[in-house]
Amino acid sequence: MANFAKPSAPRFSVDVYQNEFLPEGGRDVHAIVTVTSTGGAAATRTAVVPGGAAVVIMVDCSGSMEYPPDKMRGAREATAAAVDTLRDGTAFAVIAGTHVAKEVYPGQGRLAVADAATRAQAKEALRGLSSGGGTAIGTWLRLADGLLRGAGAAIRHGILLTDGRNEHEEPAVLRATLDACAGRFTCDARGVGTDWEVKEVTGIASALLGTADIVADPAHLTEDFTRVMEKAMGKEVADVALRLWTPVGVEIQYVKQVAPAVQDLTDRRTEAGPRAGDYPTGSWGDESREYHVCVRVPSAAVGQEMLAARASLVMPGAPGEAPAVLAQGLVRAVWTDDLASSTAINPQVAHYTGQAELAQAIQQGLEARKLGDVGGATAKLGRAVQLASASGNADTAKLLAKVVDVVDAAAGTVRLKAKVADADEMTLETRSTQTVRVKKA
């Protein structure tokens, strides 16, 4: 483990967990790369973030937000609470989203700077929010992107709330917008009620490296928005990438974030020099995340060893300067004829492989259920129950128990419930990628 961060910045560290031993002819190397950031300004509650921070809140104001009326009321109150949570000096704006995007505060294509006066002005402007019109989320994101780019802040973040499907925009338009915005700002997405499309909301969060969740009851919006904004205010380092360098002959099979949630980063690689590629991780505060890296090495004889990959955390340097290396760790491969060594599975690798399978089993099971495939849904959701039980993922186990009757959790024996509330099914689907960490010995 190495640490290169400057004392004034959060300190990053990288730890690599793996079984480096391969049998003769073995080629696939699995490693869990744990990245931890500690000791930044957020840890000492200091308000200053180098380069500044900017946040844009996008509030669904389409006609459906008035049915029932507590959705629109909850959105106004939640946004006001989020504004109150802004740290002094943070640039911010509020957008009303329908089939078009409108600036609610401060307007004129700019952002306000948070202080007592601008918070009060923003909350006064929020009282005028009303519902009407359709839903075209891409227009909201494009306006937010323009405002955030104009702010020139280091930390650029969006919070998006919707209650319905993106019916007034072609899916390809939203996809193109997300592709354009990726890497320019991060975004947390929330669905309120039960009339929105889970894959749309989770797709937005995934593309923009944020979180997704359901707020089925509008009464809980204020609590959720406050928590989301507090987390956003804790971010201090932006545009961090996981850089993988591999020797000649080594192929990267996949790179996945596996904690705190499963997120496949494999196809998001950007080249970073000879045999090196960057995988985006977004913005960081005081936190820890884990990544599953799988590389394929050339086969070798017993007794040989090699560096299979070098994992580094990097962030952009000043104009004309090379990226700063924050921390790094090494992935190794050693060939052995000791069967016990070569067949042992590292506990971290085994755990997160199971958590990734759990997320996939839930998604496939719910899809089969929607299609009326009772056998397929029962098998997949039964496997999910088994994995959740074995890994101690109690939160997911509780959500699964609202969709299936659990006969034997250890064996994965379940029966589909005849009737499931929309909110329960959507909550399970939305939170299916959330994982638990390896239990400490």
Side-chain angles (χ1 to χ4, degrees):
M1 179 180 74
N3 187 331
F4 301 96
K6 296 178 182 178
S8 60
R11 294 183 296 276
F12 282 83
S13 63
V14 170
D15 292 287
V16 176
Y17 299 94
Q18 66 164 130
N19 175 14
E20 67 265 37
F21 294 105
L22 296 174
E24 185 173 13
R27 298 190 60 195
D28 286 352
V29 179
H30 293 266
I32 298 298
V33 178
T34 299
V35 179
T36 305
S37 169
T38 57
T44 57
R45 299 190 179 184
T46 303
V48 177
V49 172
V55 180
V56 174
I57 305 171
M58 293 158 271
V59 184
D60 191 336
C61 292
S62 60
S64 58
M65 283 291 287
E66 204 58 49
Y67 303 97
D70 60 346
K71 277 198 289 191
M72 195 68 239
R73 182 170 61 250
R76 283 192 292 264
E77 293 171 354
T79 305
V83 168
D84 274 336
T85 310
L86 287 163
R87 188 169 45 206
D88 281 345
T90 302
F92 76 101
V94 180
I95 289 172
T98 60
H99 53 284
V100 294
K102 296 181 180 178
E103 297 176 51
V104 174
Y105 182 83
Q108 299 180 332
R110 59 191 179 87
L111 281 76
V113 177
D115 59 24
T118 55
R119 287 193 201 93
Q121 291 165 8
K123 289 186 287 184
E124 182 62 34
L126 288 170
R127 293 192 180 98
L129 281 184
S130 59
S131 58
T135 305
I137 295 174
T139 64
W140 317 353
L141 292 166
R142 286 193 293 275
L143 178 54
D145 182 38
L147 291 170
L148 289 167
R149 277 190 289 160
I155 304 291
R156 303 167 304 281
H157 194 76
I159 298 174
L160 184 149
L161 174 71
T162 185
D163 84 319
R165 295 171 175 82
N166 197 42
E167 294 175 337
H168 293 80
E169 186 175 63
E170 291 296 323
V173 174
L174 177 58
R175 182 72 257 168
T177 299
L178 291 172
D179 289 344
C181 294
R184 296 213 282 246
F185 67 96
T186 55
C187 184
D188 294 314
R190 294 294 184 267
V192 60
T194 57
D195 294 327
W196 48 279
E197 181 63 47
V198 172
K199 286 183 173 58
E200 284 180 352
V201 170
T202 55
I204 292 165
S206 176
L208 301 181
L209 299 176
T211 64
D213 207 352
I214 178 174
V215 187
D217 184 348
H220 296 149
L221 270 175
T222 293
E223 176 188 356
D224 182 81
F225 262 43
T226 301
R227 185 167 55 247
V228 169
M229 186 62 83
E230 285 174 345
K231 187 173 180 181
M233 290 296 94
K235 301 296 184 182
E236 299 175 84
V237 181
D239 305 322
V240 177
L242 176 64
R243 175 169 294 177
L244 291 183
W245 176 88
T246 51
V248 173
V250 175
E251 303 171 355
I252 294 176
Q253 300 301 291
Y254 57 79
V255 179
K256 299 177 182 177
Q257 178 183 288
V258 289
V262 178
Q263 167 83 292
D264 195 338
L265 301 175
T266 310
D267 294 336
R268 303 183 70 168
R269 173 187 173 104
T270 56
E271 297 305 314
R275 302 191 303 282
D278 287 351
Y279 299 85
T281 70
S283 301
W284 287 72
D286 273 37
E287 59 191 295
S288 179
R289 305 182 204 169
E290 306 200 60
Y291 301 86
H292 186 168
V293 174
C294 177
V295 298
R296 182 161 293 166
V297 297
S299 58
V302 168
Q304 289 192 283
E305 60 180 88
M306 70 175 292
L307 174 64
R310 182 172 63 237
S312 306
L313 261 289
V314 299
M315 62 179 292
E321 294 183 4
V325 178
L326 304 171
Q328 69 178 27
L330 304 178
V331 180
R332 300 173 64 239
V334 180
W335 284 266
T336 180
D337 55 6
D338 180 5
L339 188 62
S341 295
S342 65
T343 57
I345 301 176
N346 177 271
Q348 277 86 354
V349 172
H351 175 82
Y352 288 116
T353 299
Q355 293 290 286
E357 185 189 350
L358 170 60
Q360 186 178 52
I362 290 171
Q363 292 159 11
Q364 291 176 343
L366 291 176
E367 187 63 28
R369 184 179 178 277
K370 291 174 186 175
L371 295 173
D373 179 2
V374 175
T378 302
K380 290 295 183 181
L381 293 174
R383 176 60 174 157
V385 166
Q386 186 180 39
L387 289 164
S389 173
S391 65
N393 195 330
D395 289 343
T396 298
K398 289 176 184 176
L399 295 176
L400 281 161
K402 294 182 178 181
V403 176
V404 297
D405 292 317
V406 180
V407 178
D408 185 337
T413 307
V414 303
R415 288 190 299 266
L416 298 185
K417 287 184 181 292
K419 190 171 184 180
V420 177
D422 288 344
D424 290 337
E425 183 176 1
M426 292 175 71
T427 301
L428 176 60
E429 185 177 0
T430 305
R431 298 179 184 172
S432 62
T433 60
Q434 295 181 8
T435 60
V436 291
R437 296 189 181 278
V438 177
K439 295 176 183 176
K440 298 297 181 184

